[in-house]
Amino acid sequence: MNVKKGIICVAESTFDVALWFADKALEQNEYLQPQKLHRLLYLAQGYYAVAFEGSKLMPAVFIAEEMGPMEPNVYKAFAKGRPNIEPNNNLPDGVEDFLSGIWNRFGRDTTDSLSKLCQESLAFRQALIKGTRTEIPLKSILLSFAGADDIPATARIKKPKMMRSQTGRSVAVK
């Protein structure tokens, strides 16, 4: 699996994805801790890269911190609560379904369990060995998620698109 070079990210901004998760938590009367938000963003980026052959979900940069992977721009923007940024409610086709899959699989998990899951990823561990604040390259995240036995399978996140055949039978398509 290769990370596509020069590819445009599917989401315009990492803030669009972060605000989507924040709004989803609010909609379900849940408090979304900042650390949990960063773990969800990391998982979303990794699973998206695996599911869509190295494509980037969002223009995010993840760095290794002792507590787990963190996106420093989101960290700064959310430091004093939800930033006054207008969310893009028109995410490209399929992105909302993908994010719903991430939320449905990980949204109810505790911050600690998500942190542990992300800290166990090979990409995170390799970056942390180099020191805190080391960037975790997308290629490492992709390889880490694609080959890991300790993270849930991508199929549990990304639901196959269902269509009908000419005979009316339901079929999954890519």
Side-chain angles (χ1 to χ4, degrees):
M1 292 189 180
N2 291 329
V3 175
K4 296 179 180 179
K5 298 205 185 294
I7 190 162
I8 297 172
C9 300
V10 178
E12 281 181 27
S13 164
T14 304
F15 295 110
D16 294 338
V17 177
L19 291 169
W20 188 92
F21 281 127
D23 290 344
K24 183 57 95 175
L26 194 61
E27 179 184 295
Q28 295 184 1
N29 292 323
E30 289 189 33
Y31 171 67
L32 183 60
Q33 294 177 334
Q35 283 185 40
K36 185 172 181 174
L37 173 61
H38 289 277
R39 303 318 170 253
L40 289 169
L41 291 171
Y42 180 75
L43 291 166
Q45 187 83 311
Y47 276 109
Y48 196 87
V50 171
F52 296 98
E53 300 171 359
S55 295
K56 281 183 101 170
L57 171 62
M58 58 198 151
V61 173
F62 291 94
I63 61 172
E65 290 290 344
E66 291 294 331
M67 309 260 332
M70 180 184 76
E71 208 296 333
N73 300 303
V74 170
Y75 177 81
K76 270 238 191 262
F78 280 75
K80 295 185 183 198
R82 185 187 176 108
N84 189 17
I85 298 172
E86 191 65 34
N88 179 0
N89 293 325
N90 296 317
L91 292 169
D93 286 344
V95 171
E96 230 175 299
D97 289 338
F98 179 80
L99 294 176
S100 290
I102 294 290
W103 181 261
N104 291 339
R105 173 56 187 90
F106 299 109
R108 289 186 175 77
D109 289 3
T110 66
T111 301
D112 289 341
S113 68
L114 290 180
S115 290
K116 184 176 183 217
L117 179 66
C118 293
Q119 288 166 346
E120 290 172 353
S121 76
L122 183 59
F124 172 79
R125 288 183 290 143
Q126 288 174 336
L128 193 59
I129 288 170
K130 295 176 184 174
T132 59
R133 307 202 62 73
T134 298
E135 184 177 338
I136 308 168
L138 179 62
K139 184 174 184 173
S140 295
I141 297 170
L142 169 65
L143 294 172
S144 180
F145 278 52
D149 294 328
D150 55 347
I151 64 168
T154 306
R156 292 191 57 197
I157 305 299
K158 180 185 166 220
K159 297 177 185 159
K161 183 175 183 179
M162 299 302 287
M163 297 185 91
R164 299 256 178 219
S165 71
Q166 68 272 19
T167 63
R169 187 172 59 92
S170 293
V171 293
V173 296
K174 284 188 178 182

